[in-house]
Amino acid sequence: ELRNRQELQSKQRESQLPNNVDEIAMSSKLQRSLNLYNNPNVSSRSNDLEESPQSTSNVSKTRRWRRPRTTTITVTNRFGPIAAQMMYSLFAFISRTKSEESIWGGPLGEKFLSEFLRTLSIMLDCSRTYPGNSVHVMAQDLFELAWSFHDAQSSEVRYAVLAAMGTSISLVPVEFLMRVGHFIGEGDISSEWISFLEKCGFSDPDTDCRALALMIIGTIAETDHNRIS
């Protein structure tokens, strides 16, 4: 009786199996996991995304549209409205204390002056995107202030002078350049400060000063070329 019951249960399990074992449907992912991908007795499901060209196209389109799109972010220049007040307070300070040897004299004074001019250059550069004419006026005043120290013996001060001049030249109107250095010939510029730049660019003992001076000369030449063309 026990044997008959076991045979009956075995027949019931066999009746639940598919009629054709050779056509068992299995996903491609499962086939690869079981190393059955090349087994001819195992077929893939027809709706498998990896085997269906249409499904593959849909997946690629979905991935394409899911890519993050870059958006333009507008940042307000918060330094612009107070730039003039800060810069001209420093202009007033140097004008008021220029004769004080304890501030501007000696190696410490030269170091302080170089950092002073660099600070003004950074302020001017940070305010360049602020709308209005105040940036152009500040650039002209910084240029003239820096030029007053162009003959300094310290290479640090000369480099700060060149940095201030280079920052200012990129922001001053062309008319200002024409006023402080007149355009002659075929785009050549002749003026005292252009001679200073050429001297620094080719014979200054400091390597950084030479490189910066030549860079400024290239900027001026490009500005002159654009004006003529």
Side-chain angles (χ1 to χ4, degrees), residues 8-9 19 25 33 40 47 57 60 65 67 69 78 83 96 104 106-107 110 146 148-149 157 186 202 208 216-217 227:
L8 179 61
Q9 291 178 353
N19 295 330
S33 300
N47 60 344
S57 177
S60 63
W65 287 110
R67 291 177 184 172
R69 298 180 179 178
R78 298 182 180 179
R96 186 175 64 252
W104 308 105
E110 293 176 344
S148 63
F149 299 102
V157 175
E186 296 181 357
F202 295 102
D208 294 334
I216 296 173
I217 292 175
R227 184 191 68 86

Side-chain angles (χ1 to χ4, degrees), residues 13-226:
R13 286 195 298 269
E14 291 177 358
S15 63
Q16 294 176 358
L17 293 174
N19 295 330
N20 190 356
V21 181
D22 294 337
E23 295 182 357
I24 296 177
M26 187 179 299
S27 67
S28 299
K29 186 175 182 181
L30 183 58
Q31 291 180 38
R32 286 193 295 268
S33 300
L34 299 177
N35 295 324
L36 299 176
Y37 192 72
N38 296 323
N39 192 337
N41 294 328
V42 181
S43 61
S44 301
R45 291 196 300 265
S46 60
N47 60 344
D48 196 311
L49 289 177
E50 296 180 4
E51 300 298 327
S52 173
Q54 183 177 2
S55 300
T56 304
S57 177
N58 292 335
V59 171
S60 63
K61 289 181 180 179
T62 302
R63 290 176 180 173
R64 183 176 69 249
W65 287 110
R66 284 182 180 177
R67 291 177 184 172
R69 298 180 179 178
T70 57
T71 57
T72 303
I73 300 177
T74 303
V75 180
T76 304
N77 190 337
R78 298 182 180 179
F79 179 71
I82 61 174
Q85 180 180 357
M86 294 186 65
M87 288 190 65
Y88 282 105
S89 64
L90 294 179
F91 285 148
F93 171 78
I94 194 173
S95 176
R96 186 175 64 252
T97 62
K98 61 183 179 180
S99 60
E100 297 186 17
E101 189 71 16
S102 60
I103 298 178
W104 308 105
L108 290 179
E110 293 176 344
K111 178 67 175 179
F112 180 64
L113 177 59
S114 64
E115 296 298 331
F116 189 88
L117 293 175
R118 290 182 183 181
T119 301
L120 289 171
S121 301
I122 293 173
M123 288 183 176
L124 179 62
D125 186 66
C126 290
S127 61
R128 65 167 56 242
T129 59
Y130 187 72
N133 296 325
S134 60
V135 177
H136 303 307
V137 177
M138 291 187 296
Q140 297 176 40
D141 292 338
L142 177 58
F143 183 94
E144 294 176 351
L145 174 65
W147 171 249
S148 63
F149 299 102
H150 74 280
D151 55 351
Q153 297 297 321
S154 171
S155 60
E156 284 188 288
V157 175
R158 291 198 307 276
Y159 186 86
V161 168
L162 290 168
M165 292 176 63
T167 305
S168 302
I169 287 174
S170 63
L171 295 173
V172 295
V174 177
E175 293 76 15
F176 176 79
L177 294 178
M178 295 177 65
R179 186 171 70 250
V180 298
H182 60 279
F183 292 77
I184 62 173
E186 296 181 357
D188 295 330
I189 306 174
S190 175
S191 69
E192 186 179 359
W193 60 272
I194 289 298
S195 300
F196 162 74
L197 290 176
E198 293 176 346
K199 181 180 178 180
C200 285
F202 295 102
S203 61
D204 194 282
D206 187 77
T207 305
D208 294 334
C209 289
R210 292 198 302 270
L212 184 55
L214 292 175
M215 185 182 302
I216 296 173
I217 292 175
T219 301
I220 296 172
E222 183 179 357
T223 302
D224 185 38
H225 175 74
N226 295 335

